[in-house]
Amino acid sequence: MAEHSTTIELPGGWLRYWPSALPPATADQALQELLREIDWQQREILMFGRRCQQPRLVAWHGEPEARYRYSGLQLEPVPWTPGLTRLRRRVETLTDASFNAVLANLYRNGRDHMGWHRDNERELGREPLLASLSLGAPREFQLRPLAGTARDIRRLSLAHGSLLLMAGATQEHYQHRLPRQPGLEAPRINLTFRRIVPRG
């Protein structure tokens, strides 16, 4: 059932996971629609003092005030597409929250990935609420405490049409990533809906 969810309590934060936030046919349609309607780009970012190409394609959509900075990038929001607007409504209904922007990531295959990081930029507020919708090939999401070791890593397979909500002080105490998955050739789109608080 689409409404079924599981809450994962963490020291200092929590996650909530809907394995079927979208019915399979709706998820299939959304994946194909977003592949067509979004202007996917590969951007240059600043990592550990060096400039490099992001190992995935990205897009930033949202309300006009939703400007966002991370890894040396200044993102100006592109207006919502019809597909993103429909998905935003669904995510807001499930989470009972409102979002004014979305970071879209296209992982073209298992070589595309996201390294360890926290979404703790000032624009996201004190306790960021991040709603992550997955479309396409299932990928493994990993989470670890800042002071933890490899034994402390939590793993969760993010299914096609699933939704993961990160809340509380999760971004203060934990890092997360999407590691490489050798041999995978199918694409995955991840939409991370956010509430941006303008600086100043």
Side-chain angles (χ1 to χ4, degrees), residues 39-111:
D39 180 20
W40 299 101
Q41 299 180 8
Q42 188 170 30
R43 298 172 184 262
E44 187 179 77
I45 59 172
L46 189 63
M47 290 288 290
F48 307 111
R50 297 179 57 190
R51 294 207 163 272
C52 60
Q53 293 291 315
Q54 286 181 307
R56 61 195 170 278
L57 304 183
V58 300
W60 177 250
H61 290 257
E63 304 301 322
E65 74 277 6
R67 298 177 181 86
Y68 186 46
R69 294 183 221 169
Y70 78 98
S71 298
L73 289 176
Q74 173 68 53
L75 301 184
E76 296 292 332
V78 176
W80 297 93
T81 67
L84 288 173
T85 297
R86 287 193 295 273
L87 295 172
R88 175 193 183 185
R89 291 195 197 106
R90 176 60 177 158
V91 168
E92 290 182 334
T93 297
L94 285 175
T95 61
D96 194 27
S98 63
F99 302 98
N100 63 357
V102 62
L103 179 62
N105 291 288
L106 171 57
Y107 300 88
R108 295 159 291 185
N109 49 52
R111 294 179 293 280

Side-chain angles (χ1 to χ4, degrees), residues 47-193:
M47 290 288 290
F48 307 111
R50 297 179 57 190
R51 294 207 163 272
C52 60
Q53 293 291 315
Q54 286 181 307
R56 61 195 170 278
L57 304 183
V58 300
W60 177 250
H61 290 257
E63 304 301 322
E65 74 277 6
R67 298 177 181 86
Y68 186 46
R69 294 183 221 169
Y70 78 98
S71 298
L73 289 176
Q74 173 68 53
L75 301 184
E76 296 292 332
V78 176
W80 297 93
T81 67
L84 288 173
T85 297
R86 287 193 295 273
L87 295 172
R88 175 193 183 185
R89 291 195 197 106
R90 176 60 177 158
V91 168
E92 290 182 334
T93 297
L94 285 175
T95 61
D96 194 27
S98 63
F99 302 98
N100 63 357
V102 62
L103 179 62
N105 291 288
L106 171 57
Y107 300 88
R108 295 159 291 185
N109 49 52
R111 294 179 293 280
D112 281 356
H113 62 283
M114 174 87 76
W116 288 114
H117 70 286
R118 294 185 291 161
D119 292 297
N120 62 344
E121 289 78 18
R122 195 166 120 201
E123 294 95 330
L124 298 175
R126 279 196 62 214
E127 293 193 345
L129 191 67
L130 304 174
S132 180
L133 183 68
S134 295
L135 300 166
R139 295 286 295 263
E140 184 180 89
F141 170 86
Q142 297 183 355
L143 183 84
R144 69 180 182 185
L146 289 179
T149 66
R151 295 176 58 187
D152 300 314
I153 295 176
R154 291 174 179 252
R155 294 173 170 84
L156 179 64
S157 180
L158 300 179
H160 178 45
S162 67
L163 178 66
L164 177 67
L165 183 69
M166 292 186 281
T170 302
Q171 302 305 317
E172 180 179 349
H173 301 296
Y174 296 86
Q175 293 178 314
H176 57 278
R177 72 170 179 173
L178 193 87
R180 292 181 180 87
Q181 191 166 325
L184 178 67
E185 294 302 327
R188 170 188 183 256
I189 289 177
N190 169 249
L191 303 175
T192 306
F193 293 88

